[in-house]
Amino acid sequence: MFDVYRNGKRDFLVLTAGSVIPVACSTDRWRKSRKRVLKVSEEIRSTVQRQGYYVRSLRVIKKG
């Protein structure tokens, strides 16, 4: 299982269930999603296994 966190900048963080937020991401204020995620994509799973966490920005980029 995986825990999903969001912050005010529309970024999201995926960790294995029960893990603490890594120091590299601790500067932001993360809110835990109410639902636990059972399945994630292969890209996210491999990054979490290799790195311990996965961070992605969901920001919308406006074109001029």
Side-chain angles (χ1 to χ4, degrees), residues 43-63:
E43 174 192 354
I44 294 174
R45 177 171 301 181
S46 65
T47 303
V48 169
Q49 287 177 349
R50 183 179 67 248
Q51 200 172 336
Y53 63 93
Y54 177 83
V55 179
R56 186 170 79 189
S57 176
L58 297 176
R59 296 180 195 151
V60 177
I61 300 173
K62 295 180 181 178
K63 293 185 179 180

Side-chain angles (χ1 to χ4, degrees), residues 1-3 5 13-22 32 36 48 52-53:
M1 278 203 240
F2 296 91
D3 291 331
Y5 295 84
L13 170 67
V14 179
L15 301 170
T16 55
S19 298
V20 296
I21 296 176
K32 189 174 184 178
R36 283 204 171 157
V48 169
Y53 63 93

Side-chain angles (χ1 to χ4, degrees), residues 4-8 11-13 29-33 58:
V4 177
Y5 295 84
R6 295 178 300 152
N7 68 6
D11 296 337
F12 85 98
L13 170 67
R29 193 172 184 105
W30 295 97
R31 291 175 286 148
K32 189 174 184 178
S33 175
L58 297 176

